[in-house]
Amino acid sequence: MTGPNLSEWVLKHRSFTIFLMIVVSIGGLSSYFSLGRNEDPAFTFRTMVVQAAWPGATLDDTLRQVTERLERKLQDTKGLDFVRSYTTPGRTTIFVNLKGSVGAAEVPDVWYQVRKNIGDIRHTLPAGVVGPGFNDDFGDTFGLIYGFTADGFTHRELRDYVEQIRSRLLNVQDVSKIEIIGAQDEQIFVEFSVQKLAGLGIDRNALIAAIQAQNSVVPAGSVQTSQENLSLQVSGAFRSEDDILDVNFLSNGRMIRLRDIAEVRRSYADPPQPLFRVNGKPAIGLAIAMRPGGDILALGRNVTAEIGEAVDDLPLGIEPTLVSDQPAVVDHAIGDFTTSLWQAIVIIMGVSIVSLGIRPGAIVALSIPLTLAITFPIMQAFGIDLQRISLGALIIALGLLVDDAMTTVDVMTTRIAQGDSKEAAASFAYKSVAFPMLTGSFVTAAGFVPIGFAQSAAGEYTFSIFAVVTITLFVSWFVAVLFAPLLGVALLKRPETAAPGKPNVVMRTFRAVLLAAMRRRW
């Protein structure tokens, strides 16, 4: 290989190279424990939901005047794959799907354009249309879900405590979003009999207008003095159900109190919002999502600790229950793959020692942890977590990363047996096989290019296979030309006899087949 001889340079600076090996090993170990953990790699959902409501409209009117107008405008979306809609009387739901070739970084800009384009035609929709509304974050994964049950507390009191805990959990590291599940909104119901209103000759519109006017918020001005500015507020806002019952209004020339003709009660929205139960008991849930690139195992530990501190401040009767525990699932999945990874490392190291001999095999075996120690910080720099795809890629790469070190050791062993010094053998190995090893790494990495550059959600999901294998291959080349020669000089010994040994049966058979194939090219 042309250019400076890296192996020769390493042997002239042995102290620095040994120091570099120690630093690399410590850095790799530190990166391994600080790498993010997740069950699967993150990928981008290329689907948005657009919804609009037109209360009272028929199916045909909703389809023609709302759904079709929105669909025609959505067809102008850049990178659109297809649009799918679902229409019922008074409501339309449209799914906007982008092509897989739209990059993950481009998707937020595309959704912004969708919102802007729909906003441009909002004034053309029929009067009374509610929306359209947009949802493009339904792909968020909630790794932890806690359910809170209450014994002796109302639903509203439980919700207040749960919202306090939510505020505390938002400060936990790696938490990106927390949603409350199963909380019911309170409403004030004013119930009166239509027959009674008709019998008393009460105008229903006047009744409703009186209630709305009493509770309206209007500016009353301010009084400015030489020292301060005082804001004036009109009293009369509703503070309780009794305040509503005390409303007086004028109907047909007489004053009527609402208490005499109606009932007022506080209750929850009807129909209710989606309910949440834990072990058959009504509950309110907290769904916790992790930020991209976070460590789900660390998130689980931190959230558990914060929940424990928050429970200490809760009154007796409110109990949290862990409903969904993704950290435990990830710990099990990552543990299985990690065990397979270490087993593969031990097997390859053992086979190298048995097949090559103790000293040459030890050099090849030591190149494996050195390669991984450099690979982990690079994975961390590129934001590649430890998950099932990246760990599977490491297992695939284990059978490839020993090739370069094995080639270097084989050349050094042969040259030492022929009488060269260890330093000369290491220098010769670089000059003779460094470039072929490098081109071989390029060729092997090229085999994974279709995975790495596939323009689809599947390609985004499996990208870490290409990235990890490529990183490992080129790191193994540097290990083979930098660290393997130094280890070879330290561990390899000159054979007692310089005469080449007699080939065994396997070698003789392989040589005969090879020669026969070369002579009969057809």
Side-chain angles (χ1 to χ4, degrees):
M1 184 173 181
T2 58
N5 192 317
L6 297 181
S7 299
E8 184 178 352
W9 182 90
V10 163
L11 295 176
K12 292 181 179 179
H13 303 82
R14 301 188 185 188
S15 299
F16 175 76
T17 305
I18 295 173
F19 170 77
L20 187 62
M21 291 172 63
I22 296 173
V23 170
V24 163
S25 301
I26 296 175
L29 191 63
S30 175
S31 295
Y32 173 75
F33 288 106
S34 60
L35 273 172
R37 263 75 167 175
N38 216 330
E39 185 175 6
D40 295 297
F43 59 95
T44 304
F45 278 83
R46 293 169 172 81
T47 301
M48 170 184 270
V49 178
V50 181
Q51 292 180 312
W54 192 10
T58 64
L59 174 62
D60 187 62
D61 290 340
T62 306
L63 180 64
R64 291 173 179 266
Q65 300 191 47
V66 180
T67 304
E68 291 185 358
R69 292 186 185 183
L70 294 177
E71 284 185 344
R72 282 195 295 269
K73 192 63 178 179
L74 290 172
Q75 289 171 356
D76 298 336
T77 303
K78 177 183 177 182
L80 179 67
D81 188 7
F82 64 92
V83 173
R84 180 167 54 91
S85 63
Y86 176 75
T87 305
T88 58
R91 180 172 293 274
T92 179
T93 302
I94 305 175
F95 297 87
V96 184
N97 297 273
L98 302 181
K99 295 179 180 179
S101 57
V102 178
E106 302 175 25
V107 172
D109 292 335
V110 174
W111 296 149
Y112 170 75
Q113 292 297 326
V114 168
R115 288 180 169 88
K116 191 174 71 171
N117 292 341
I118 295 298
D120 292 340
I121 67 167
R122 195 185 301 269
H123 68 282
T124 66
L125 298 176
V129 172
V130 180
F134 308 90
N135 182 9
D136 60 343
D137 60 353
F138 55 88
D140 292 338
T141 301
F142 296 101
L144 289 163
I145 299 178
Y146 279 88
F148 293 84
T149 57
D151 185 8
F153 294 88
T154 65
H155 183 84
R156 179 66 211 187
E157 291 172 334
L158 175 61
R159 180 173 181 173
D160 291 339
Y161 285 114
V162 171
E163 288 180 347
Q164 292 176 11
I165 297 175
R166 177 182 179 272
S167 299
R168 294 183 58 168
L169 293 179
L170 285 172
N171 296 322
V172 175
Q173 185 178 2
D174 289 344
V175 171
S176 64
K177 183 171 66 172
I178 302 178
E179 287 191 1
I180 296 180
I181 307 173
Q184 304 298 312
D185 293 330
E186 287 186 320
Q187 292 181 346
I188 301 296
F189 292 88
V190 179
E191 298 175 341
F192 48 82
S193 171
V194 178
Q195 291 83 356
K196 183 180 293 188
L197 294 181
L200 296 175
I202 298 175
D203 186 359
R204 179 176 175 271
N205 293 329
L207 172 61
I208 296 176
I211 297 175
Q212 292 176 341
Q214 182 70 20
N215 201 43
S216 61
V217 178
V218 294
S222 61
V223 176
Q224 186 171 2
T225 66
S226 59
Q227 296 181 350
E228 57 187 352
N229 188 14
L230 301 177
S231 177
L232 300 180
Q233 293 183 350
V234 178
S235 61
F238 296 145
R239 303 299 179 186
S240 65
E241 294 90 327
D242 290 336
D243 292 342
I244 302 177
L245 290 172
D246 292 336
V247 171
N248 296 322
F249 63 96
L250 181 66
S251 179
N252 296 326
R254 55 180 175 171
M255 295 296 296
I256 299 177
R257 178 172 292 186
L258 186 63
R259 184 186 302 273
D260 299 331
I261 62 171
E263 294 181 357
V264 177
R265 62 182 176 89
R266 181 192 298 267
S267 184
Y268 299 106
D270 187 18
Q273 295 169 306
L275 299 175
F276 187 74
R277 292 180 177 271
V278 175
N279 297 326
K281 299 180 181 179
I284 297 179
L286 285 181
I288 304 169
M290 183 182 68
R291 68 168 179 82
D295 187 344
I296 189 66
L297 302 183
L299 177 66
R301 293 191 298 267
N302 296 335
V303 169
T304 301
E306 189 66 31
I307 288 288
E309 295 179 4
V311 169
D312 293 339
D313 299 331
L314 293 178
L316 293 177
I318 298 179
E319 297 293 336
T321 302
L322 183 58
V323 178
S324 176
D325 188 8
Q326 191 186 21
V329 177
V330 172
D331 189 26
H332 179 72
I334 296 297
D336 289 345
F337 270 85
T338 304
T339 300
S340 300
L341 176 63
W342 297 127
Q343 289 175 349
I345 291 174
V346 172
I347 291 172
I348 293 176
M349 293 172 69
V351 170
S352 300
I353 293 174
V354 171
S355 60
L356 300 177
I358 295 179
R359 292 178 178 272
I363 299 173
V364 176
L366 289 174
S367 68
I368 297 175
L370 285 173
T371 302
L372 294 178
I374 302 175
T375 300
F376 288 141
I378 298 177
M379 289 175 57
Q380 189 175 19
F382 282 95
I384 302 175
D385 301 334
L386 284 182
Q387 21 82 3
R388 291 188 291 189
I389 302 300
S390 61
L391 285 171
L394 285 174
I395 295 174
I396 294 173
L398 284 177
L400 305 173
L401 63 87
V402 296
D403 291 346
D404 291 345
M406 193 174 296
T407 301
T408 300
V409 171
D410 181 63
V411 173
M412 288 185 64
T413 303
T414 303
R415 298 297 298 183
I416 292 173
Q418 293 177 358
D420 288 356
S421 64
K422 296 179 182 180
E423 290 77 6
S427 178
F428 179 82
Y430 180 85
K431 290 186 289 186
S432 58
V433 299
F435 185 73
M437 289 191 303
L438 184 61
T439 54
S441 298
F442 275 106
V443 171
T444 306
F448 295 89
V449 166
I451 298 177
F453 293 93
Q455 297 295 322
S456 64
E460 186 180 357
Y461 180 81
T462 59
F463 175 77
S464 53
I465 293 180
F466 163 75
V468 172
V469 170
T470 302
I471 291 170
T472 307
L473 284 172
F474 289 104
V475 168
S476 68
W477 182 84
F478 280 101
V479 170
V481 300
L482 294 178
F483 298 147
L486 183 61
L487 294 174
V489 170
L491 297 178
L492 293 179
K493 292 180 62 177
R494 188 181 302 277
E496 297 179 358
T497 173
K502 185 178 180 181
N504 55 25
V505 176
V506 176
M507 196 64 187
R508 292 198 301 270
T509 303
F510 171 74
R511 184 174 295 174
V513 173
L514 177 61
L515 291 175
M518 294 175 66
R519 289 168 181 168
R520 296 171 177 81
R521 299 181 181 180
W522 55 269

